[in-house]
Structures are given as C-alpha cells and as structure tokens.
C-alpha cells in the first residue's frame, strides 16, 4: 500500500504568516492528491484537489503544489479562522489513504 | 446542492454488526462513487469502502474481511455493514461523495467533495 507521510504534525504561527504543510507519498502518485480542512468538531472540507486545483468556495490564500511523491499545502497569510487540522489524501489507488494530519494553531 | 445524511444505531455491542445508511438528496446516486470513512482519536481518518451503482465495490484491505457496502438506487441511498465489531471500531462514521475519472473501461473515484455530518458509533456492552 502507498503511505502518505504528513509533516509537521502540528504548528503554531502568527496571523499573517505564510504556512506550509507537506505530504510525501511512498510511491509516485502523479497529482492524485487532495487536501482537507477540518475545524474542531466539524466535518472535513475539501480545499484542494488534483494537487493544485482550488475547490470552489475555498479562500484563495490556500494553494497546493507538487507531483509524484512530494506535495505541499500553503496558506499565504494565516487567518484566525484557519485554525484547524489539515489532511492530505491520495486517490491514485486503493486503499484511499489520508495523511496523519497537521494541527494549525495561532501563536 | 447534494446533501448526505448518515443514520443508524449509535451503540453496538462487541461482536455484533454495525449497520449504517447514507441518504443522498439533491442529486442522483448513479452519477458518482460513494464512500464510507471513519475517524477515531487514535487512527485519524480511515477510508473504509467505496461503491458505484454498477461495478464491484472496493474495500480497505485492513477491513475487507468484515465489511460490506451496498447501494439502493430506488431509495437513493447506500449502506455499510461491519461485522464482529470491537472497541477499536468506535469512531465517527462519515459517508462521502467522489467524482469519478474513467479511462477506457476502468473508472476510479477522485477526491471527496461532499460529506455527511457524521455519526458517532460506540462499541460497548
């Protein structure tokens, strides 16, 4: 099975900071990666798919990049409402797997 | 806009079968793939299975021996059965929708673009 290793597991940053979260696949998976935001007590929400396509309605400060094995989610200017846990997910093959999550907090 | 709603018992006894349904409204169940995903504090998000209204369902190998997914197009809903449950199966269970991508005769689900609200299932005697 292809594993998704996400880092860091948590981070604390100031409002306005640029935040970067990475996900590494154990094998090449083209650009078959999505990113989700899950706020405390809420349902995961799709932010990015196909590694870099912004989901309709997602704020433009979120962006994704990468292909093959290394993927990145970037928040260009962290806002208080971005406090959440972020997950990557690959859909290249079964089993569909998620990264372990990155908890983002405000410093 | 599509809406997904899970339903089923919130408490299941160890060794028994967990049964959940997901009702899909606002769209046809025949146009997408449909998955069950669960989340427990110790294991994060875990994909369980997906199904399309035609074709064979796919299962997570870690659960394949205990899980079954089915779809009822007449009711616009799909269902999950997980047997021989233990405390480790305690989790919030989500149903979710995926667009599909097809190449020739092979089709695969993509990202999860719509999710149900989730239902907490506790396994306890």
């Amino acid at each position: 099975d292809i594993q998704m290793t996400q880092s860091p597991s948590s981070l604390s940053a100031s409002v306005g900071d640029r935040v970067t979260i990475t996900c590494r696949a154990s094998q090449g998976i083209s650009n078959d990666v999505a990113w989700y935001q899950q706020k405390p007590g809420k349902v995961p929400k799709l932010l990015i798919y196909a590694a870099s396509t912004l989901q309709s309605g997602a704020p433009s400060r979120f962006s994704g990049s990468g292909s093959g094995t290394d993927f990145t989610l970037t928040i260009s200017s962290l806002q208080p409402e971005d406090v959440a846990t972020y997950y990557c997910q690959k859909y290249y093959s079964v089993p569909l797997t998620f990264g372990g999550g990155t908890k983002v907090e405000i410093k | 806009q599509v809406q997904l709603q899970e339903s089923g018992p919130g408490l299941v006894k160890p060794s028994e079968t967990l049964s959940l349904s997901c009702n899909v409204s606002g769209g046809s169940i025949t146009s997408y793939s449909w998955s069950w995903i669960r989340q427990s504090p110790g294991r994060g998000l875990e994909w369980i299975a997906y199904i399309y209204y035609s074709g064979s369902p796919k299962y997570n190998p870690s659960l394949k021996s205990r899980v079954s997914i089915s779809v009822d197009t007449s009711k616009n809903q799909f269902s999950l059965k997980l047997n021989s449950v233990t405390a480790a199966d305690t989790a919030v269970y989500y149903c979710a929708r995926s667009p599909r991508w097809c190449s020739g005769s092979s089709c695969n689900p993509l990202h999860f673009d719509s999710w149900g609200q989730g239902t907490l299932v506790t396994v306890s005697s």
Side-chain angles (χ1 to χ4, degrees):
Chain A
D1 295 353
I2 300 174
Q3 306 301 317
M4 298 295 283
T5 303
Q6 191 172 338
S7 62
S9 57
S10 65
L11 66 89
S12 181
S14 300
V15 172
D17 281 355
R18 184 180 184 86
V19 169
T20 299
I21 299 167
T22 63
C23 212
R24 174 164 288 176
S26 57
Q27 299 176 37
I29 55 172
S30 186
N31 67 337
D32 293 344
V33 166
W35 290 93
Y36 302 87
Q37 175 193 62
Q38 186 176 32
K39 296 184 178 181
K42 300 297 185 181
V43 178
K45 175 185 172 183
L46 176 68
L47 289 175
I48 301 283
Y49 62 93
S52 60
T53 302
L54 189 68
Q55 171 71 349
S56 175
S60 58
R61 62 182 178 274
F62 292 94
S63 64
S65 64
S67 182
T69 60
D70 294 317
F71 303 89
T72 299
L73 174 70
T74 299
I75 309 173
S76 61
S77 176
L78 186 68
Q79 300 301 305
E81 59 266 33
D82 300 335
V83 169
T85 300
Y86 294 84
Y87 295 92
C88 62
Q89 179 238 332
K90 68 93 171 164
Y91 45 86
Y92 180 82
S93 60
V94 168
L96 312 179
T97 51
F98 293 86
T102 296
K103 187 174 184 179
V104 175
E105 298 176 323
I106 300 291
K107 192 181 295 182
Chain B
Q1 181 171 340
V2 69
Q3 291 190 323
L4 290 74
Q5 181 64 58
E6 305 89 350
S7 61
L11 181 64
V12 181
K13 289 182 168 53
S15 80
E16 295 190 345
T17 297
L18 179 161
S19 295
L20 296 174
S21 291
C22 181
N23 186 68
V24 178
S25 59
S28 173
I29 204 166
T30 61
S31 303
Y32 291 85
S33 290
W34 306 92
S35 283
W36 287 98
I37 298 159
R38 69 182 183 180
Q39 185 172 32
S40 55
R43 300 183 69 174
L45 288 163
E46 180 179 31
W47 169 77
I48 301 170
Y50 80 73
I51 193 167
Y52 183 56
Y53 83 99
S54 66
S56 301
K58 298 292 185 184
Y59 299 104
N60 190 321
S62 67
L63 297 167
K64 187 174 183 178
S65 64
R66 299 194 291 128
V67 69
S68 174
I69 188 172
S70 60
V71 63
D72 187 336
T73 55
S74 67
K75 295 181 179 179
N76 227 41
Q77 69 180 30
F78 62 106
S79 300
L80 174 74
K81 290 188 186 298
L82 180 65
N83 57 38
S84 304
V85 297
T86 69
D89 295 310
T90 294
V92 174
Y93 286 75
Y94 297 100
C95 56
R97 183 185 83 168
S98 296
R100 303 171 78 234
W101 178 80
C102 296
S103 175
S105 60
S106 176
C107 295
N108 294 291
L110 301 176
H111 47 277
F112 302 114
D113 66 353
S114 292
W115 297 62
Q117 287 301 303
T119 186
L120 173 63
V121 179
T122 302
V123 178
S124 174
S125 56

